[in-house]
Amino acid sequence: MSTAKSDKNSNRDNLEGDIKEAVETDNNIRETVRCITLKAFSEGKLDFSEISQIANRVVKGAGLGAITHGRDGQDKLTNAVAGLDDALCSAAEACKLAVEEASSHVNTFSKQDLDRAINDLSELEAMFLDTLKEVAKEANETVSDTLNDLVRHGRVSGTAVGQKTTEIATLLNQQFSERLSDTVTAGVDSAAKVTSNLAYAAAGFLDALGQKLNQKSTSNPAPNKSK
């Protein structure tokens, strides 16, 4: 196993604990969870499977950290989930940038590839809410009730990532749908290669985007909203 892959696996193993500690220490929970999650997203490739696994660990860690706050744990968990929602929005933005770059190569990127990318983006909100629901099944009563309340609210009122992906899908269709070729029918291997390349490119864009957001946050520290 390469050193890079070993480090990545080690970071993933520590992710749940890092999130738990962030919620326990109660120091700007939403922003801290966002930063930790963005770092995890930017390592390797940013595909649907990776995002789903990371989101699951983030929610589990947040639940474990919230327990230590007793009755106040509900608010802490809600802030942590909001941090995950924020990170998913950034991930969606990074995917948009990757698609925009790929779309400039019209000979190797087709409307079918665009449709696949947009479809993956459109699934992010459902994955987010499903993750909350799945973790709720194994959590204690307080955590479970909070997560299920967030799921119900998200399905009625929507989520930040749901709004973001809808905006991005509309924009990408407007920008590229008409000028990309309908005649390019990639085989399974070619389609998988395009998807993989997009995932790696998105992770790179997210890393750069995350650094900019962190610099902005450091220069303009937000008030602690976790209490």
Side-chain angles (χ1 to χ4, degrees):
M1 180 182 292
S2 68
T3 301
K5 180 175 271 190
S6 177
D7 290 343
K8 175 186 172 183
N9 289 338
S10 177
N11 290 339
R12 290 288 173 80
D13 290 340
N14 294 333
L15 178 59
E16 194 172 311
D18 289 343
I19 295 294
K20 176 177 179 289
E21 182 179 357
V23 177
E24 284 178 338
T25 55
D26 190 21
N27 183 22
N28 200 359
I29 292 173
R30 179 170 181 167
E31 176 64 14
T32 304
V33 169
R34 182 192 68 82
C35 290
I36 294 172
T37 307
L38 282 180
K39 185 175 185 301
F41 281 161
S42 66
E43 295 170 344
K45 62 179 181 178
L46 193 66
D47 63 14
F48 191 84
S49 175
E50 292 283 309
I51 293 173
S52 179
Q53 292 178 41
I54 291 169
N56 185 272
R57 293 193 182 192
V58 168
V59 178
K60 284 183 177 179
L64 292 173
I67 293 173
T68 64
H69 289 285
R71 291 183 178 179
D72 291 335
Q74 293 180 338
D75 289 339
K76 314 306 177 187
L77 181 54
T78 297
N79 275 282
V81 170
L84 172 58
D85 200 2
D86 292 341
L88 287 170
C89 287
S90 295
E93 186 66 30
C95 290
K96 168 182 170 288
L97 294 174
V99 169
E100 288 176 336
E101 181 181 62
S103 297
S104 66
H105 307 290
V106 293
N107 293 328
T108 57
F109 192 82
S110 70
K111 187 174 184 302
Q112 293 173 337
D113 297 319
L114 175 65
D115 290 343
R116 277 193 296 268
I118 290 176
N119 182 67
D120 285 345
L121 278 171
S122 69
E123 294 293 323
L124 281 181
E125 182 180 51
M127 178 278 296
F128 174 45
L129 296 177
D130 286 347
T131 297
L132 300 183
K133 194 168 184 62
E134 284 300 311
V135 175
K137 293 178 181 178
E138 301 176 357
N140 75 355
E141 184 177 356
T142 300
V143 170
S144 179
D145 288 346
T146 302
L147 292 177
N148 282 322
D149 284 344
L150 290 172
V151 171
R152 284 190 288 270
H153 182 269
R155 286 179 174 161
V156 172
S157 303
T159 63
V161 69
Q163 180 178 346
K164 173 64 73 173
T165 53
T166 298
E167 292 172 355
I168 289 174
T170 300
L171 181 61
L172 289 176
N173 269 316
Q174 290 173 343
Q175 286 180 315
F176 303 111
S177 183
E178 291 185 3
R179 76 177 183 83
L180 290 174
S181 172
D182 283 317
T183 61
V184 178
T185 304
V188 174
D189 291 341
S190 296
K193 183 176 181 180
V194 170
T195 300
S196 180
N197 288 342
L198 281 175
Y200 280 112
F205 280 118
L206 184 60
D207 186 39
L209 184 61
Q211 290 180 27
K212 288 182 179 179
L213 289 171
N214 291 339
Q215 289 171 359
K216 182 178 180 181
S217 176
T218 301
S219 61
N220 298 290
N224 190 335
K225 299 179 181 180
S226 61
K227 293 186 180 181

